[in-house]
Amino acid sequence: MSTAKIRIEPEGIQIEVEKGSDILSALKSHGIFVPHPCGGRGKCGRCRVHVEGLPHNEAELALLKPFEVEDDIHLACQSIVNSDCIVHLHE
């Protein structure tokens, strides 16, 4: 099993997850809630988080505005963890 580390800000905590996990599931499995009214199916766009260190995928690009992509905003339900990253949760 190959893992990656996610540092969560502003909490300042670090979790270890299996590579290939989506951010939403990884956070949920560690008791961190991110709103996801569509059930994590990539339909509503409400699970936006700022992520440093991960590329965007096609599902995210379809829902995000260009300025959000430039600002490293991701959809937690669609963003796949393939390497260590930093997730900034919105208030």
Side-chain angles (χ1 to χ4, degrees), residues 49-69:
V49 291
H50 176 237
V51 181
E52 295 177 43
L54 291 181
H56 290 89
N57 61 44
E58 291 299 319
E60 294 177 288
L61 294 173
L63 283 175
L64 296 172
K65 295 177 173 63
F67 74 89
E68 292 175 311
V69 173

Side-chain angles (χ1 to χ4, degrees), residues 1-4 16-21 81:
M1 165 177 58
S2 183
T3 62
E16 194 165 329
V17 300
E18 283 190 48
K19 287 184 178 179
S21 302
V81 179

